[in-house]
Amino acid sequence: MGVALTRAAQWTTAGFGAGTLELTPLNESLLKDIVKFVESFGTKYPQEAEFVFKESLQWPTTLEPSEFESGYVVSGSTVKSEENSKDGEPLLFLSGSDIKVSSFGQLSRLLHFAKDKKLKETQACLEDFEFANGCRAPPWRQMQGEICYLSVKPHDCDCIYLTCSTAGVFVNGGIESDTEEINYERCSDIYKDLVTILREKSAKFSENISKQQHSFFGAKKKEKKKKRPPLPEAEEIPNLPQTSTASQKSPSVKRRMVRKLEPSLKWTSSVTLQEKQDSIKESQEEKSLPTTTERTKSLISSTSTGRTHSLTGKSSVKIEDLISESSSESEEEDEQPDHRQEGQTDLPSEYWQIQKLVKYLKGGNQTATVIALCSMRDFNLSQETCQLAIRDVGGLEVLINLLETDDVKCKIGSLKILKEISHNPQIRRTIVDLGGLPIMVDILDSPDKNLKCLAAETIAHVAKFKRARRTVRQHGGIKKLVELLDYAQGKTDPGHYHSIYEIKDVEVARCGALALWSCSKSHANKEAIRKAGGIPRLARLLKSPHQNMLIPVVGTLQECASEEHYRAAIKAERIIESLVKNLSSENEVLQEHCAMAIYQCAEDEETRDLVRQHGGLKPLASLLNNTDNKKRLAAVTGAIWKCAISRENVTKFREFKTIETLVGLLTNQPEEVLVNVVGALGECCQEPENRAIIRRCGGIQPLVNLLVGTNQALLVNVTKAVGACAAEPESMIIIDRLDGVRLLWSLLKNPHPDVKASAAWALCPCIENAKDAGEMVRSFVGGLELVVNLLKSENKEVLASVCAAITNIAKDQENLAVITDHGVVPLLSKLANTNNDKLRRHLAEAISRCCMWGRNRIAFGEHKAVAPLVRYLKSKDTDVHRATAQALYQLSEDANNCITMHENGAVKLLLDMVGSPDEVLQEAAAGCIANIRRLALATEKARYS
């Protein structure tokens, strides 16, 4: 294989940038060597021949389907090999004039079928060839930092053989006549770029370069820039001047773009001490000009004139757009400290090399600018040092200005760099400050699909914070991104293999979905996606066979599903069925996002039923068995939690042994997993049979152990689960032995209202099912006073749960006496004027129970609690009726309370409930009416006597 790669690299050097290669005797000899090597590969190396390429070789072929023999399925103009990869993809696929081959074994067989077309097929496969990382040098030379080899024939000197490397450009030994191979040995100094070395080697070239009157962009540096009126932006935007290189559109002149250079292997550039000193000197000279940050600071207060990109656009900024941003939308990234490099001598050589390249971008001519763009991508742009080097010397302004030229290749080069460096939060904020997003949104209208893809993907990287997302929407970006989804229309048949052009259409749609995914984190953008017709388009793309397409599509739906009207639309578009289907995908990332989307949608009962009806519960349960991928595990457990809200689903989970598996996940898991696991168990143990399963599996102790945590969501769920388990007497014994009740009581001091409420609800079954509940409660020093004081809370859920706890506490006479001394009666009475039915029910029950001590009945009347209670009888909630009738019955033992009830029309309301099928309600209503009538008769007798 190494010989073939070497030959291919040599073959491409002579025709660098030419598109096709002239078939010279040398090239023909190379082709024959490659054919000979590949044709015999299958027999010489049978094991290696079966190896499947990471990426298929693809080229336009002249072979006809009829030329293929046994081992292939021929259907019209399509040919598929019977030999497939592990993913089920054919190792050879011919569709029309395009062919894809994925192994040396298939290449060997193809050359056998080609017969007299062997050389032509090989040439078509290798023409303008480059490795996947963009380099043309063979891998072992890439390790030395070499990228490609050029042969240059100036007008006034002999042919020069050059090596382009990460350290610069130098003359190599040329092609040796005896072996016809490249002599890689360096035969000159290292020059910083191609232009510099050609200036020195060719006087004619140097003279022509010096005579150029205009820069690559065709604009004179002294030409005044036009100003555009600013938009009424809500926040100040720095007034950053444009660089001289890209202030105007480029003229229509013929240019040749040097191909992209992006080595995949990492190496350290060899830089001499003198070169480093020269770099430092140049950087110090540039210090006389204000840096990006300095200019920003000096002009931050001025908004009367500003950068045109950030202050112009097709759509104006509306004040309602600013207001409509979701107030609950969290900023994914905080403002991070500026990691600007302070010490110059400690910086790596790459930092200075990049700054030199930016200098050529700023003021260079056509050749220097293009080479600088390509060379910049030669560096590891994922490193922060390289990213900040571009920013610190003003490179971002230049790159953004390049997006406004007329040259497509120039735009592509700039976007490729911006796409890589915009992973850095500081860089993407600066891109927004410089007005880069509106330009990228405009590029989405470009007819060039490569530009569309790069612009959308860069937007996806930049729109990671609120202001960026708002900018995309305000400049019409949401609608344009939604329209990109149409590019994949008609290309969602899993059995249909596409040409390279169709694949590019799919890539356009994928990048559009990726950008929508980032933008969909804001409420206003979700609404904009919906209005632009995003939901049906996303639903259609869910049928795509391309998994890299599905991930951003499902991710966008996952974000949007947090909105109720979106969930209704998701049901209407039959999206749940597709989500369930993709749970069985082999792609773990896709499984994760499908599970997350189900988690969001399963708040709705109908959705939970759809998940069960489409067979989604079993794959969710089976995914619990793989615990290595924690992100996917969190998504799956979340989906199970929400689906378990429906009792029918819980029955299915019990059949799949899901409860036992969930108990096993209560230890050694991250909190985001534990929250969902405990939430699911809390729903499952609402049924007695499941509570017994949890106890038998040893789940009580790990649940109680989680009560000492600090995660609020986890505490809410674990208190619910422990409380549900406490309804089973056998489990309650274990909870009490593990000191679980004391831990629950201590959570009443938690500052978060939801934790307080959940702990109070959990205490109710604990007190109800404890063997000696009264003594247990009294053993908590200050516990009763704490509970009574919680009646001063303003949170309705806390109040309802505390009233429920007081109802159980007051069953013990000693405890009732204690809470009475702590002022429970006036505090309960103060809550009587409420319209919340949940609070009404538990408040009435607490009042009913507290009437059992001393003169509390009279005290409730004195604190004006009776009349509001009578109004509870007008509620539509039967549970409220029952609790209120019982409370009124207890209060009616006092004559003054009876008078108040009669005056407020209680008798008529109670009479309507005497015929209720609820025996408790019927008995309480009848008892209360009897007490009121007895009082009336007693009063009548007293009057006559």
Side-chain angles (χ1 to χ4, degrees), residues 9 25 40 55 87 196 427 492 529 537 628 639 669 749 877 884:
S40 62
E55 293 184 11
D87 298 331
T196 304
I427 296 293
T492 56
I529 293 171
R537 288 177 169 94
D628 294 334
Q669 297 297 335
K749 300 178 183 178
D877 191 327
T884 303

Side-chain angles (χ1 to χ4, degrees), residues 704-720:
V704 172
N705 292 343
L706 293 175
L707 290 172
V708 298
T710 57
N711 184 296
Q712 293 174 352
L714 179 57
L715 287 174
V716 169
N717 285 356
V718 76
T719 48
K720 178 179 180 179

Side-chain angles (χ1 to χ4, degrees), residues 637-651:
T637 51
I640 290 175
W641 171 21
K642 296 303 180 183
C643 288
I645 297 174
S646 295
R647 300 280 76 86
E648 296 89 345
N649 291 348
V650 173
T651 302

Side-chain angles (χ1 to χ4, degrees), residues 660-674:
E660 291 88 336
T661 308
L662 289 171
V663 170
L665 296 174
L666 286 174
T667 55
N668 301 321
Q669 297 297 335
E671 285 187 339
E672 56 267 26
V673 174
L674 288 173

Side-chain angles (χ1 to χ4, degrees), residues 119-397:
L119 289 182
K120 191 172 183 179
E121 288 297 314
T122 305
Q123 180 178 346
C125 177
L126 296 175
E127 211 154 57
D128 203 18
F129 175 85
E130 65 182 36
F131 293 101
N133 57 15
C135 290
R136 300 172 187 273
W140 55 91
R141 299 305 304 178
Q142 292 183 37
M143 295 297 292
Q144 308 299 321
E146 296 177 8
I147 300 168
C148 68
Y149 311 98
L150 311 179
S151 60
V152 182
K153 179 61 178 74
H155 290 286
D156 55 350
C157 63
D158 294 333
C159 185
I160 308 171
Y161 296 95
L162 303 175
T163 296
C164 296
S165 73
T166 56
V169 182
F170 58 83
V171 178
N172 61 43
I175 299 179
E176 297 180 346
S177 57
D178 53 345
T179 62
E180 295 185 346
E181 293 186 356
I182 294 176
N183 180 355
Y184 298 107
E185 193 68 26
R186 181 162 65 89
C187 302
S188 73
D189 293 333
I190 298 177
Y191 296 82
K192 59 183 179 181
D193 54 40
L194 181 62
V195 175
T196 304
I197 191 171
L198 291 179
R199 277 179 180 272
E200 181 171 312
K201 299 295 182 182
S202 169
K204 183 72 173 177
F205 179 86
S206 178
E207 179 183 356
N208 288 338
I209 287 294
S210 301
K211 288 181 179 179
Q212 290 187 0
Q213 300 296 323
H214 302 283
S215 70
F216 169 51
F217 306 101
K220 296 182 179 180
K221 296 183 179 180
K222 295 183 180 180
E223 183 175 342
K224 295 183 179 179
K225 307 176 185 68
K226 295 182 180 179
K227 297 179 181 178
R228 292 179 242 176
L231 289 174
E233 185 60 90
E235 51 192 319
E236 292 185 345
I237 300 178
N239 177 18
L240 299 175
Q242 298 181 12
T243 57
S244 60
T245 57
S247 57
Q248 301 292 333
K249 303 284 185 179
S250 62
S252 298
V253 297
K254 294 183 179 180
R255 311 181 188 87
R256 180 170 59 85
M257 174 69 76
V258 178
R259 294 297 303 274
K260 62 180 185 298
L261 304 175
E262 188 180 19
S264 62
L265 302 175
K266 296 183 179 180
W267 55 77
T268 303
S269 302
S270 56
V271 183
T272 64
L273 178 62
Q274 183 62 43
E275 285 177 315
K276 187 168 183 178
Q277 290 173 345
D278 291 343
S279 298
I280 295 175
K281 183 177 179 181
E282 288 186 17
S283 178
Q284 289 173 338
E285 289 174 354
E286 290 180 359
K287 287 280 186 176
S288 60
L289 297 174
T291 64
T292 303
T293 302
E294 289 169 348
R295 283 177 284 165
T296 301
K297 289 180 178 178
S298 64
L299 298 169
I300 192 69
S301 61
S302 173
T303 55
S304 59
T305 59
R307 181 167 171 80
T308 57
H309 304 322
S310 60
L311 300 179
T312 59
K314 292 182 179 179
S315 60
S316 61
V317 179
K318 299 179 181 179
I319 195 67
E320 55 266 28
D321 284 340
L322 301 178
I323 299 173
S324 66
E325 284 294 341
S326 173
S327 59
S328 62
E329 180 190 357
S330 61
E331 192 75 72
E332 283 78 50
E333 53 192 42
D334 298 327
E335 294 287 353
Q336 300 190 6
D338 189 348
H339 298 300
R340 188 173 298 280
Q341 312 291 343
E342 298 294 342
Q344 295 179 347
T345 57
D346 295 334
L347 294 171
S349 60
E350 291 86 353
Y351 184 85
W352 308 114
Q353 291 174 17
I354 286 179
Q355 292 207 340
K356 290 168 70 176
L357 289 173
V358 173
K359 183 178 180 181
Y360 285 110
L361 281 180
K362 283 184 173 181
N365 52 38
Q366 171 185 348
T367 306
T369 303
V370 171
I371 293 179
L373 262 181
C374 296
S375 299
M376 194 176 293
R377 295 192 62 237
D378 193 18
F379 291 88
N380 185 358
L381 297 178
S382 64
Q383 291 183 349
E384 188 177 42
T385 300
C386 297
Q387 296 166 350
L388 299 184
I390 296 174
R391 185 198 66 175
D392 291 350
V393 77
L396 288 177
E397 294 98 317

